[in-house]
Amino acid sequence: MTANVIIGAQWGDEGKGKVVDLFTEFADIVVRFQGGNNAGHTLVVEENGVTQKTVLHLIPSGILHRNKVCVIASGVVLDPGVLLGELDALAQRGHTVEPRQLLIASDASVILPYHCALDIARETSKGERKIGTTGRGIGPCYEDRVARRAVFVRDLLDEPSLREKLESNLPEKNQLLAHYGAPGFELEAVLAQMLALGVRLAPFVRETGRFIYDEVHRGRNVLFEGAQGTLLDVSLGTYPFVTSSHTTAGGVCVGAGIAPSAINGVIGITKAYCTRVGSGPFPTELNDEVGEFMRKAGHEFGSTTGRPRRCGWIDVAALRYATRINGFTGLAVTKLDVLSGLERVKFCVGYHDAQGNQLDEPPMDVARLATLTPIYEELSGWSEDISGVRVFDDLPRNARHFLRRLETILGVPIVLVSVGAKRAETIVLENIYR
Ligand code: IMP
């Protein structure tokens, strides 16, 4: 059996969608285990000679492969309207999703309209101190889970249960919304809306934990698809500028209900540079023409919110931290082509703090992180267009050196290099399912 986890090694948007899509070819089952529609994977797929772009926020990208099973496990927070919208969009492209292709955990938490309203109201009230959330209700929904008042997917199929939960939750939510000057919600309207969505979701809903266990132990290849990135983990990231779920490898155990011992490999995805959306310290950020170059060449605008992403040099010290806490067994480096044309490229290998101490990993204390000065190694760049390269040895010498240096510092082999957005624009060094 082979169960691999794919994890973003930075602040999200590392190009996981493409890597997941490539490895899905060899997997039988693809599982999302945390986050919600704050994520966004842009998939660029050639179909009948036509290039098609598909953005998926909730449904695993494996859905484009007809013979795979995609699972939305219990650690996910699910906005039913968004999920059904994605199913409709896929159907319009000729990908009608059958219930055998998509399993939704009956105990995934539901994002209700008041979660989104609260997310937005709180962010607005924070002004300059806002987190920069996606406004999709992710934090408020996870809060309810921890506070033991979650509405589960199965409640959408059970009117008395949903009514009871809304009767209990809604008065408090409406008071909170009133506190922020935002309009409240009417119980019967929310109930009717959610029950209608439940009817459409019903064919896909089941208990997914046992299914995943059985499939792993039947020797099937399973791919656990992480959303967001390591530094956005609610416990291990740059708190409070994080999302509200466990984005690191440990999250797969509680989010999918699988034991650590069942996992064979953890692949960390990193861009050849670094980006961040939303607020929070970013030591290698470039507010200059090089940052602008990266944003343009890398099309660095959020696939969920359209916001321009902040860009900077690759932070290998932060990747060292990500490697330590996730236990990466392989690395996938994406968007190497974006650096083509830069005379010099930089690698942050550590930091100096205000007292002149040298650090080899970033502290997750954001006040301290904001005061650090990166220590850079400078490498020579390359000018060639590398999007046509399919074999590692055909890369320009300096690009090879860049990748080898990354492997050496992190002590993790590179299994894949992406040199363009299309599926074919990839150098595979090792198939993790072989
Ligand atoms: P939330 O997940 O919407 O609560 O947002 C919390 C933080 O995580 C914000 O800084 C978001 O920009 C960031 N974030 C959430 N999802 C993603 C993602 O998929 N990629 C990158 N950043 C994300």
Side-chain angles (χ1 to χ4, degrees):
M1 68 187 185
T2 306
N4 284 305
V5 187
I6 301 243
I7 294 288
Q10 299 169 309
W11 275 292
D13 308 317
E14 296 90 351
K16 290 181 293 294
K18 174 177 163 176
V19 178
V20 167
D21 192 46
L22 282 162
F23 285 126
T24 294
E25 197 91 39
F26 308 96
D28 303 299
I29 294 145
V30 185
V31 183
R32 263 204 71 182
F33 56 92
Q34 47 73 223
N37 58 309
N38 46 350
H41 291 329
T42 307
L43 298 172
V44 182
V45 184
E46 292 274 348
E47 263 172 29
N48 308 322
V50 183
T51 303
Q52 298 243 38
K53 259 195 184 182
T54 305
V55 182
L56 293 177
H57 298 284
L58 259 174
I59 301 179
S61 35
I63 206 72
L64 297 180
H65 302 251
R66 295 230 167 259
N67 54 345
K68 315 287 173 187
V69 179
C70 291
V71 180
I72 296 182
S74 57
V76 169
V77 285
L78 183 134
D79 185 323
V82 170
L83 184 108
L84 292 166
E86 289 184 6
L87 289 177
D88 290 344
L90 286 167
Q92 272 171 13
R93 298 213 151 174
H95 287 275
T96 301
V97 177
E98 308 285 339
R100 64 173 171 78
Q101 287 178 279
L102 177 68
L103 313 183
I104 299 173
S106 56
D107 52 351
S109 305
V110 175
I111 298 179
L112 290 141
Y114 51 73
H115 291 133
C116 301
L118 263 176
D119 192 359
I120 293 163
R122 284 188 181 137
E123 281 284 279
T124 309
S125 78
K126 282 199 179 111
E128 288 286 285
R129 291 178 300 110
K130 68 174 196 269
I131 306 286
T133 72
T134 59
R136 303 298 195 260
I138 308 297
C141 186
Y142 276 118
E143 276 173 39
D144 278 357
R145 176 104 194 191
V146 176
R148 294 160 295 198
R149 52 175 178 246
V151 170
F152 294 123
V153 166
R154 62 171 176 265
D155 295 320
L156 304 187
L157 320 182
D158 178 350
E159 176 170 356
S161 171
L162 183 60
R163 180 180 289 282
E164 193 186 313
K165 288 194 175 178
L166 289 178
E167 278 171 357
S168 158
N169 292 350
L170 205 51
E172 190 193 33
K173 300 298 179 204
N174 282 342
Q175 281 204 4
L176 276 171
L177 286 165
H179 167 77
Y180 292 109
F185 290 85
E186 204 261 311
L187 189 141
E188 293 303 328
V190 177
L191 185 72
Q193 182 192 359
M194 288 297 133
L195 289 173
L197 295 170
V199 170
R200 288 196 59 204
L201 279 186
F204 302 96
V205 178
R206 61 178 284 174
E207 197 277 302
T208 58
R210 180 61 190 260
F211 169 82
I212 296 167
Y213 175 90
D214 287 343
E215 293 301 297
V216 167
H217 290 273
R218 270 177 64 203
R220 307 258 276 162
N221 288 338
V222 184
L223 186 65
F224 293 98
E225 171 183 349
Q228 291 87 43
T230 296
L231 298 172
L232 291 173
D233 186 286
V234 69
S235 292
L236 300 167
T238 50
Y239 192 95
F241 303 104
V242 292
T243 189
S244 298
S245 65
H246 293 291
T247 58
T248 43
V252 74
C253 297
V254 284
I258 180 116
S261 54
I263 294 161
N264 307 94
V266 182
I267 307 302
I269 318 288
T270 175
K271 277 179 187 163
Y273 50 101
C274 193
T275 61
R276 174 162 207 180
V277 282
S279 320
F282 178 1
T284 62
E285 184 169 13
L286 292 167
N287 290 308
D288 60 9
E289 68 282 3
V290 179
E292 198 48 46
F293 172 91
M294 291 169 174
R295 189 171 307 113
K296 270 213 184 106
H299 310 290
E300 294 296 354
F301 297 89
S303 46
T304 298
T305 57
R307 291 180 285 181
R309 295 179 184 142
R310 300 156 68 192
C311 298
W313 295 117
I314 190 167
D315 188 340
V316 187
L319 290 173
R320 192 182 278 126
Y321 171 73
T323 301
R324 174 165 71 80
I325 62 175
N326 289 300
F328 293 143
T329 54
L331 281 179
V333 180
T334 59
K335 295 195 151 185
L336 186 66
D337 54 302
V338 172
L339 298 186
S340 291
L342 292 174
E343 222 166 278
R344 316 279 299 162
V345 288
K346 290 191 189 180
F347 250 59
C348 167
V349 289
Y351 319 91
H352 281 128
D353 69 10
Q355 289 72 42
N357 301 309
Q358 200 165 316
L359 309 173
D360 68 352
E361 279 184 6
M364 288 299 116
D365 168 353
V366 287
R368 250 187 105 204
L369 186 59
T371 64
L372 300 181
T373 313
I375 301 169
Y376 286 115
E377 245 180 57
E378 263 194 56
L379 307 180
S380 299
W382 57 93
S383 56
E384 295 89 335
D385 172 5
I386 58 171
S387 58
V389 176
R390 298 292 173 264
V391 178
F392 183 85
D393 289 339
D394 292 345
L395 283 169
R397 202 171 69 98
N398 291 340
R400 275 182 282 141
H401 181 58
F402 177 95
L403 296 170
R404 290 300 182 212
R405 188 78 193 107
L406 189 61
E407 280 188 325
T408 307
I409 298 176
L410 299 177
V412 183
I414 293 176
V415 297
L416 182 149
V417 181
S418 171
V419 291
K422 291 184 190 147
R423 212 183 252 183
E425 290 169 337
T426 311
I427 302 168
V428 179
L429 288 95
E430 190 195 321
N431 181 352
I432 57 174
Y433 283 104
R434 207 160 34 214

